[in-house]
Amino acid sequence: MRISELSRRSGVSIPTIKYYLRDGLLPPGHATAANQADYNEDHLRRLRLIRSLIGVRGLSVSATKDVLAAVDEQQGDMHLLLGLVLGALPVERSGRPPRRDGAEEPAGAGAAAGDAAEDVAALTAEMGWKTSPNPPAAQVVTETLETLRALGMDYDWRSLLPYAHLADRAARLDLDQLEGAGDPLQQAERAILLTVLLEPALLALRRLAQEHHSAQRFSNG
Amino acid sequence: MRISELSRRSGVSIPTIKYYLRDGLLPPGHATAANQADYNEDHLRRLRLIRSLIGVRGLSVSATKDVLAAVDEQQGDMHLLLGLVLGALPVERSGRPPRRDGAEEPAGAGAAAGDAAEDVAALTAEMGWKTSPNPPAAQVVTETLETLRALGMDYDWRSLLPYAHLADRAARLDLDQLEGAGDPLQQAERAILLTVLLEPALLALRRLAQEHHSAQRFSNG
């Protein structure tokens, strides 16, 4: 197909496609004339993957290159591929912007750090989760426990355990949806889309359920 | 207590406390001398709430004022209070920054919008969730479905239904943790902390579980 059709089918503008071609993110098409090239379905799929990494998830061009190189190298090893793709995606902290109010870190946050890390180790052990050493996601859980404690809440890994069981079931659902997804490029795309794009929706579903159950429990009317 | 102790116990600097006092976020202390005032436990709790709204969650000072006014007015009506607090908190879209790659919206996104909104209505009906009309969280779910479809995935409300059941259980856990939290100010603080601060941790738990189950299913080793 011509670049115009590639643009139409991917939803990516022609200047952006040309930028990806110049930058090596997208391999060149098959030249059919001095200033014209032909693109195939692989180009379209790769372009959709780039789009989901850069346009939807906000990865940098260089992080996107690393993920695409990993996809190219790890054909067939789905676990390595998933690890590379998920590992390259930054984990949201709390969507919080840099502190604007000039406040220091809560008193005691530093001292509690070691304890919180041990808590997360206890939680993953209890769940039987085997992960890579020090995954970024574990750091996020550690930080959350530290923050809750620094704000005076009595919260430890046992408080998180029921949520960890729900997360375990969510992850099984996620992986069910990757089975039979086709070639590694398609699997990588599905893994990214289902992991990253679903995240805000999962939080939004919790908010909707909170509103409903809050009305059930607390409404005076 | 003096402002220095208020600062030490809240982890908020004295200049920041003075700014909140000037701005009316924090009520004045009881004047004990020309240039000195005494603060009590209510000041400390309110300061921690302000801190969690502005410092942790990144709300603007004016949105924080609205939430605090609501807390003051809705003493005793926990459902209204929760609704006001949760309603004032922006729902994360996907953590995605403004589009950087110059790409247009995916083809077909506009046409799919009506369908996706109907999908979300079907989902909440199926779950039996009663919510306010057009809550921001429902819009996030709608946008997610639109994006997944525009990227070529076959995804509708039935695909989200198992996740909605998990969200329902998470919301029950959340509300269990608000029971017996004390006065409305404390309940509001707990609601904010548990809703907002737990969000990144819940997503991180899902990532940890994904890594574990991915190894179980796909590893060649």
Side-chain angles (χ1 to χ4, degrees):
Chain A
M1 71 190 91
R2 303 272 286 275
I3 196 169
S4 55
E5 187 180 348
L6 188 62
S7 168
R8 188 178 56 72
R9 290 181 61 191
S10 65
V12 178
S13 69
I14 292 176
T16 301
I17 293 175
K18 287 185 174 168
Y19 167 73
Y20 292 158
L21 286 166
R22 273 197 309 276
D23 219 47
L25 278 172
L26 195 65
H30 177 72
T32 53
N35 201 12
Q36 198 166 304
D38 194 53
Y39 301 91
N40 59 25
E41 296 296 318
D42 282 344
H43 286 96
L44 180 60
R45 287 223 308 276
R46 194 175 188 92
L47 195 48
R48 285 190 172 138
L49 181 58
I50 294 168
R51 197 201 151 79
S52 62
L53 288 167
I54 297 181
V56 177
R57 189 53 185 80
L59 281 203
S60 69
V61 167
S62 90
T64 302
K65 270 187 183 168
D66 291 344
V67 172
L68 291 172
V71 169
D72 291 337
E73 281 166 24
Q74 298 299 336
Q75 308 271 345
D77 187 334
M78 187 62 188
H79 175 54
L80 269 180
L81 181 61
L82 258 183
L84 286 160
V85 169
L86 296 179
L89 297 169
V91 182
E92 295 292 319
R93 251 45 186 186
S94 62
R96 67 180 167 188
R99 196 171 292 286
R100 303 174 193 164
D101 64 352
E104 305 87 48
E105 286 304 304
D115 292 348
E118 283 173 25
D119 261 44
V120 175
L123 180 68
T124 49
E126 172 74 21
M127 292 303 297
W129 287 343
K130 293 189 188 74
T131 63
S132 53
N134 305 314
Q139 184 58 32
V140 171
V141 180
T142 302
E143 288 173 7
T144 302
L145 284 175
E146 283 168 18
T147 304
L148 287 171
R149 288 182 196 169
L151 290 167
M153 294 188 66
D154 181 22
Y155 221 83
D156 68 9
W157 68 272
R158 286 175 196 82
S159 319
L160 284 178
L161 192 57
Y163 294 105
H165 281 287
L166 297 178
D168 194 78
R169 290 181 52 185
R172 287 170 198 258
L173 287 172
D174 297 330
L175 290 166
D176 288 346
Q177 298 182 68
L178 291 182
E179 306 266 0
D183 67 38
L185 199 60
Q186 284 177 300
Q187 288 179 320
E189 185 177 4
R190 274 186 90 89
I192 294 163
L193 295 178
L194 291 174
T195 295
V196 177
L197 289 182
L198 278 187
E199 289 188 341
L202 299 183
L203 297 180
L205 290 172
R206 175 172 170 245
R207 294 268 186 110
L208 291 172
Q210 282 176 332
E211 188 182 345
H212 170 74
H213 287 295
S214 162
Q216 297 277 310
R217 292 201 200 189
F218 297 118
S219 184
N220 294 330
Chain B
M1 73 189 91
R2 304 269 287 275
I3 196 169
S4 54
E5 186 181 348
L6 188 63
S7 169
R8 188 177 56 72
R9 290 181 60 192
S10 65
V12 178
S13 70
I14 293 177
T16 302
I17 293 175
K18 286 184 174 167
Y19 166 74
Y20 293 158
L21 286 165
R22 275 197 307 275
D23 219 49
L25 278 173
L26 195 65
H30 177 71
T32 53
N35 202 12
Q36 198 168 305
D38 193 54
Y39 301 91
N40 59 26
E41 296 295 320
D42 282 346
H43 286 95
L44 179 60
R45 287 222 309 275
R46 195 176 187 92
L47 194 48
R48 285 190 172 136
L49 181 58
I50 293 169
R51 197 200 150 79
S52 62
L53 290 167
I54 296 181
V56 178
R57 190 53 185 81
L59 282 202
S60 69
V61 168
S62 91
T64 302
K65 270 187 183 168
D66 291 345
V67 172
L68 291 172
V71 169
D72 291 338
E73 281 165 24
Q74 300 297 336
Q75 309 272 343
D77 186 334
M78 187 61 188
H79 175 53
L80 270 179
L81 180 61
L82 260 183
L84 285 160
V85 168
L86 297 179
L89 297 171
V91 182
E92 294 293 316
R93 250 47 186 187
S94 60
R96 67 180 165 186
R99 195 171 295 283
R100 305 175 191 162
D101 65 347
E104 305 89 47
E105 286 304 305
D115 293 347
E118 282 174 26
D119 260 44
V120 175
L123 180 67
T124 51
E126 173 73 20
M127 292 301 298
W129 287 344
K130 292 188 189 74
T131 64
S132 52
N134 305 315
Q139 185 57 33
V140 171
V141 181
T142 302
E143 288 173 8
T144 301
L145 284 174
E146 283 168 18
T147 304
L148 287 171
R149 288 183 196 169
L151 290 167
M153 296 187 63
D154 181 21
Y155 221 84
D156 69 8
W157 68 271
R158 286 175 195 81
S159 320
L160 284 178
L161 191 58
Y163 294 105
H165 281 287
L166 296 179
D168 194 80
R169 290 181 52 184
R172 287 170 198 259
L173 286 172
D174 297 331
L175 290 166
D176 288 346
Q177 298 182 67
L178 291 182
E179 306 267 1
D183 67 38
L185 199 59
Q186 285 177 300
Q187 289 180 319
E189 185 177 3
R190 273 187 90 88
I192 292 163
L193 294 179
L194 291 173
T195 296
V196 177
L197 288 183
L198 278 186
E199 288 187 341
L202 299 182
L203 297 181
L205 290 172
R206 175 174 170 244
R207 294 267 186 110
L208 292 172
Q210 282 176 333
E211 189 183 345
H212 170 73
H213 288 294
S214 162
Q216 298 277 311
R217 292 201 199 190
F218 297 118
S219 183
N220 293 332

